[in-house]
Amino acid sequence: MFTSVLVANRGEIARRVFRTARELGVSTVAVHSTADASMPYVGEADAAVHLPGNAPSETYLRTELLIEAARRAGADAVHPGYGFLSENATFARAVEDAGLAWIGPPPRAIESMGSKIEAKKLMDAAGVPVLPRLSADDVTEAELPVLVKASAGGGGRGMRVVRHLEDLRSEIAAAEAEALSAFGDGTVFCEPYLATGRHIEVQILADHHGTVWAVGERECSIQRRHQKVVEEAPSPLVERLPSMRAKLFEAARTAAEAIGYVGAGTVEFLADDSGRFYFLEMNTRLQVEHPVTESTTGLDLVALQFSIAAGEALPPEPPAAVGHSIEVRLYAEDPARNWQPQTGTLHRFRLGDAAEFGPGGPRSGLPWLRVDSGVVSGTEVSPYYDAMLAKVIVWGATRAEAAARLAAELAKAQIHGVRTNRDLLVRTLRHSAFLAGDTDTAFFDRHGLEELSRPLAEPAVEELCALAAALADAAARRSTAKVQKGLPSGWRNLASQAQRKSFRAGESTYEVAYQLTRDGLFVEGGVQLVEATPERVVLEVGGVRRGFDVAVYPGLVCVDSGLGSVALKPVERFADPSTQVAAGSLLAPMPGTVIRVAVKVGDKVEQGQPLLWLEAMKMEHTISAPADGILAELAVGTGQQVEVGAVLAVVQAAEGEDV
């Protein structure tokens, strides 16, 4: 076994590998960009090496810097994690050429699967079912819709669904540009698009002695922007069609054997409801969703990666799976606004009684919770990397049990400071179609993203939370008062006007008017005050007592209760003139880089017309004209870094129109 491992990655996967390394008695080395210097994984490592810069191209994608870091820190092995250079054969060879152990598959296997075009040719020759590749020049109306897909890389980048023939060329050009930016390879191809397919994958483990395991399948059909959001093991479809499992496992083993695969990997298939399936790609690394396989089998896949890399043999057969496991990806994003990534300070990140990064393995009794996260309370969520905050995983004896526990834990989690997709995840896990196992790739489209992403807290709950926030604020002011702190806030000998505070929740504003007198709380709606402290308010509403936990941060009040979590922004009574912007100003919705500008000052623009594009958190975002008009100002250029709220452009509305 190795003595010291460098993880050529960051965040959650670095922490995950470190956990296993510590259990095996292997010391750990972290690498970090400038922006990541204070991230939890850096402090948890035995040694850390700074990679100057922030962008991945300056840091985590620099082979020579990573190998030099391993040498300086005395590491004798490199684990690539997932993403970045984990599926880069050149990096794997460089690690081996440097005399370091590579905890991954052979470079030649990575190479053979690195091009999706060549990989499909290999799989077709080996007898693994594949979808036909289409020539862009020969696509007909009858073959629509088609999927334009990057040959290199993954994560949904360089992918476009084309439903109209006239859009094919422009979408191919857009996919090529995105693929070139993301992977350094602009090659794309076309294939038939199965709009309601099931995304099913098989976990593979293979050693140097000829043993190949098909450990179990996972279903990852619920996706956004071709990136997985909910993953589970086993697959509901395969459970319904048990004869399908043996065929899947045979195809996955055939794929691994065809390229001489060694280590952990995943063979991905697209399936229909009848059980027919087709090879998509092979990920020559550990998958983000590997915990659901660990949870149902009791295996530590990272430990097995270590042992295989050290030349140890696998047992003849893998363990049988037990129970059901579901994982959700908690993203810092706003699903209702086209999955817009969010940045800022994660003031509080608190889930229930969870095991961090394990332990894996089925347990009897109540379902159990696991959290794999790259963040902790106080972490600054930057715009430079993926928007995933954590993976939240539950194991249960049944699928229904696991879904119920996971939804409940997410609903009561305290996540303050950054908007997330938490409410979407809870509504998905509780949806009747999900519970019935009807989980294809069109789930969000079919069941309505607007409804699924709606806040768990209804407007009436937001109003109650605003009252709780106002009463907690009053209690805080009394607790710090210099004189007569025992008197209620705003107390008068004679009846006076109500105390007033305003809060904004999303697009709604709530004005709270209340009086605290010797006879108690007076407020519309018959709400009774039971208790009020700066951190907790207990109210009785309609004869039902409810507690509200209140946390106050600069410009933000977070209220958590059994009715849902609400983020409130106090409304200042007098607006600061310096914060006002001209009508028609387009503001940056997040920090990022301007990657394209399609207009110039003086151009006529139409409502909805794309004006420029921002790249942030591995996603491309279109900034469009809010109305017909003239582009009066353009404040940015291609390649420019912008902060959230920065003015990008100003559209002067056409006469008689409002912006």
Side-chain angles (χ1 to χ4, degrees), residues 455 457-467 469-470 500-513 566-571:
E458 302 290 346
V461 174
E462 292 182 342
E463 193 168 11
L464 267 180
C465 289
L467 173 60
R500 297 182 182 275
K501 295 185 177 73
S502 294
F503 299 92
R504 194 164 53 248
E507 301 301 318
S508 302
T509 299
Y510 298 97
E511 183 172 298
V512 179
V566 176
L568 300 166
K569 292 185 177 181
V571 178

Side-chain angles (χ1 to χ4, degrees), residues 27-79:
S27 67
T28 56
V29 180
V31 288
H32 66 88
S33 66
T34 303
D36 279 344
S38 299
M39 290 292 284
Y41 79 97
V42 178
E44 291 175 4
D46 295 309
V49 179
H50 178 214
L51 306 177
N54 288 320
S57 59
E58 300 172 318
T59 54
Y60 302 107
L61 295 176
R62 294 279 299 276
T63 292
E64 72 282 8
L65 294 183
L66 295 168
I67 291 175
E68 176 60 23
R71 285 185 174 133
R72 287 166 58 191
D76 55 2
V78 172
H79 191 297

Side-chain angles (χ1 to χ4, degrees), residues 205-207 209-213 299 304 307-308 312-319:
L205 281 166
D207 63 20
H209 309 280
T211 299
V212 180
W213 282 359
L299 296 171
L304 288 168
S307 66
I308 290 170
E312 297 175 17
L314 291 168
E317 297 292 334

